[in-house]
Amino acid sequence: MTDPERPDGAPVRPDDGAATGPVVPDSVGGARSPVADPPVQGPATGAGAASDGPVGGSALPGENPVDGPAMPGDEPDDTAEVAARLRAATATGAARFDVAALAARAEADGLIDVAWARADSPIGSLVVAATPRGLVQISFRPADEALDELARKVSPRVLEAPGRLDDVRRQLDEYFAGRRHAFDLVLDRALSQGFRATVLAALEQVGWGTTVSYADLARAVGHERAFRAVGSAMATNPIPVVVPCHRVLRTGGDLGGYAGGLDAKRWLLAHEGVLLAP
């Protein structure tokens, strides 16, 4: 038997230090360097007997020990991977697999902790999300940013499931059309804690077409000097429009801020018939 050769044509000797195992294909094209066979457990049978693969070893990272390397597009079995791939694919619209089928599978298996959908509105595209406990988020941000926050703070199993948001989107449509002045939705306040949650609960009592100041809200929760903290609660309100932080103005009538932008705040106030100071 002749000695194996290196790529440069020279024979490989046992003392060269080169691995003599099989070349293992990379999972995304090309080939990796040869991987040395681990020690065989027990004597080989027959002169010059060779193994078809590693004996007593484990699969390489990213490989299935039976089916070979995992390929992009293979349907994942791990539930966390299902959630992560669906979240990324539906947020970007760049799925390489059947998103609808995987979403249906996740729903059937009870893997959706947070359902989300897009909602069109006169003040821009909104991301709306709900848990089994209720509406948890309305966001003006790009979908990937909103979903990342939900995955970090609520659950990584965040999947697009518009059917679960039908009632939320219907009530928002009615509000923007002027046919609804109050929302009838159960809220999940998982994204609001402590003092901010207290302030936002008080804000829910401020009705259509009325406004309050940051100082008014601070007094309403028993901390009249905490108007700056009230402003922070408004800026981080996870459920705008439904929890109406657009109805909070600075003392004297100035707009203050708004997560959706001041044009959106002006539109909402005008929609409710609020006359702003010139």
Side-chain angles (χ1 to χ4, degrees):
M1 178 182 298
T2 59
D3 290 324
E5 293 184 350
R6 294 196 299 250
D8 60 5
V12 177
R13 303 295 182 185
D15 57 349
D16 281 348
T20 60
V23 173
V24 180
D26 194 283
S27 60
V28 188
R32 291 199 290 265
S33 300
V35 175
D37 292 338
V40 176
Q41 303 300 317
T45 58
S51 170
D52 289 335
V55 177
S58 59
L60 292 170
E63 286 189 17
N64 181 306
V66 175
D67 300 327
M71 300 301 292
D74 284 353
E75 187 171 335
D77 293 323
D78 182 75
T79 57
E81 185 184 355
V82 172
R85 288 175 63 181
L86 273 173
R87 188 167 66 248
T90 54
T92 62
R96 292 178 296 172
F97 49 90
D98 191 340
V99 174
L102 280 177
R105 168 188 160 187
E107 178 122 31
D109 291 346
L111 301 180
I112 303 179
D113 290 338
V114 185
W116 75 278
R118 291 181 174 86
D120 293 330
S121 82
I123 55 175
S125 179
L126 306 173
V127 173
V128 294
T131 70
R133 295 180 296 276
L135 178 65
V136 71
Q137 185 184 73
I138 295 177
S139 180
F140 294 96
R141 292 174 295 170
D144 57 346
E145 294 180 16
L147 302 185
D148 282 347
E149 180 184 25
L150 290 167
R152 286 185 289 105
K153 297 183 178 180
V154 181
S155 168
R157 302 197 300 190
V158 182
L159 302 179
E160 186 173 18
R164 291 200 183 185
L165 280 304
D166 281 349
D167 188 42
V168 172
R169 295 191 293 172
R170 177 182 59 79
Q171 292 196 34
L172 285 170
D173 286 344
E174 292 170 353
Y175 168 82
F176 288 122
R179 300 192 303 273
R180 173 177 291 276
H181 291 183
F183 292 95
D184 182 20
L185 296 168
V186 177
L187 305 183
D188 180 348
R189 297 177 175 83
L191 295 176
S192 300
Q193 305 294 330
F195 181 73
R196 292 180 180 182
T198 300
V199 172
L200 293 174
L203 176 61
E204 292 175 38
Q205 308 308 311
V206 180
W208 168 282
T210 61
T211 62
V212 295
S213 69
Y214 298 101
D216 291 335
L217 269 184
R219 284 190 291 271
V221 297
H223 295 274
E224 62 180 69
R225 298 178 63 84
F227 52 88
R228 292 186 184 276
V230 168
S232 178
M234 299 302 101
T236 57
N237 176 15
I239 316 175
V241 182
V242 172
V243 179
C245 54
H246 62 278
R247 296 174 187 157
V248 184
L249 307 176
R250 289 178 178 169
T251 301
D254 289 344
L255 280 177
Y258 193 61
L262 293 184
D263 286 343
K265 189 170 186 176
R266 289 190 189 94
W267 190 97
L268 291 167
L269 291 170
H271 177 62
E272 296 182 5
V274 175
L275 298 177
L276 297 173

